[in-house]
Amino acid sequence: SASRVLELDSALQKAHTQTHPLLLFVPSPSQNDDSPSLYDRRAQVHFLYLQGMCTLHRKFLSQPHFSQSRERCIQSALELLAIQYDLYEYTKLKGENVKRHWYRISYVTHEFILAAMILVMDLRRNSDENSQRGEILESLLKARMVWKEAREESSMAMKVCSVLSNMLQSLGVVESAAF
């Protein structure tokens, strides 16, 4: 029920705010001097929180009278894709010593796909009144670019890139778009 979702949302937020400061994710790879291990741990903790929010609220995503769930779900999906891009940027900054492994872990891959699907569904349903359209499209285009670059290293990345390209194409976004 909606009241149970809000109850769980409150508990999840409370738990997240009680995260030890050492494990708080700093989403700026260029200003991050953390070890790859600490950076990954911080990203994982934040990832799990956002994954929980998406899973919790997606049931009410398309129901207009649950705008709080829609907002929470969209924001969490955007942040999940931002983490994906941060991991990508962090790997580029740190060089070959930090291997990209996040796209090889199936549950992580599934959650990044879930985030993209949530955003695409929302754009399809609310395209006319969606004030975040530009931000959402930019996020999806970055995600496609990340998966596209990982295609050589992973057959799963190749599949995800293809699915994401098809989802973007269904929105009228062509392959030659930025990112």
Side-chain angles (χ1 to χ4, degrees):
S1 75
S3 61
R4 181 70 176 141
V5 166
L6 294 177
E7 211 176 282
L8 291 170
D9 174 281
S10 180
L12 188 55
Q13 278 190 24
K14 183 179 179 185
H16 185 64
T17 60
Q18 293 174 347
T19 301
H20 191 282
L22 181 65
L23 292 175
L24 291 176
F25 184 65
V26 180
S28 183
S30 63
Q31 299 174 8
N32 196 319
D33 294 328
D34 296 336
S35 70
S37 175
L38 180 57
Y39 188 79
D40 278 352
R41 285 187 181 109
R42 287 177 170 176
Q44 288 171 8
V45 168
H46 196 57
F47 174 91
L48 290 171
Y49 165 72
L50 296 170
Q51 173 192 20
M53 283 296 186
C54 281
T55 303
L56 185 61
H57 288 284
R58 71 180 177 195
K59 177 180 178 180
F60 299 107
L61 180 64
S62 63
Q63 298 179 23
H65 50 286
F66 292 110
S67 62
Q68 182 181 353
S69 280
R70 179 188 170 274
E71 290 167 18
R72 188 85 77 211
C73 195
I74 296 303
Q75 194 55 44
S76 296
L78 283 168
E79 287 185 48
L80 274 170
L81 293 186
I83 286 178
Q84 179 189 30
Y85 192 73
D86 284 342
L87 289 169
Y88 165 79
E89 286 291 310
Y90 185 78
T91 302
K92 283 177 45 179
L93 281 171
K94 297 296 181 177
E96 286 302 312
N97 294 335
V98 179
K99 295 289 184 193
R100 285 188 294 227
H101 62 278
W102 53 265
Y103 58 82
R104 292 189 192 128
I105 303 170
S106 66
Y107 81 87
V108 173
T109 299
H110 290 250
E111 295 310 318
F112 288 142
I113 294 169
L114 173 64
M117 287 174 56
I118 286 169
L119 296 173
V120 168
M121 281 179 17
D122 188 65
L123 284 178
R124 283 185 183 160
R125 287 196 174 112
N126 303 302
S127 63
D128 295 335
E129 70 260 6
N130 197 324
S131 62
Q132 292 179 290
R133 184 175 175 78
E135 179 185 5
I136 290 171
L137 285 175
E138 181 180 346
S139 186
L140 290 167
L141 288 168
K142 283 181 178 180
R144 178 178 64 189
M145 186 263 316
V146 169
W147 288 112
K148 191 173 188 176
E149 287 197 17
R151 289 182 308 183
E152 302 300 318
E153 299 175 45
S154 163
S155 61
M156 175 60 92
M158 186 179 299
K159 291 174 189 171
V160 173
C161 180
S162 176
V163 168
L164 194 48
S165 290
N166 288 336
M167 287 193 295
L168 283 164
Q169 198 170 37
S170 77
L171 295 171
V173 178
V174 293
E175 183 70 30
S176 63
F179 296 103

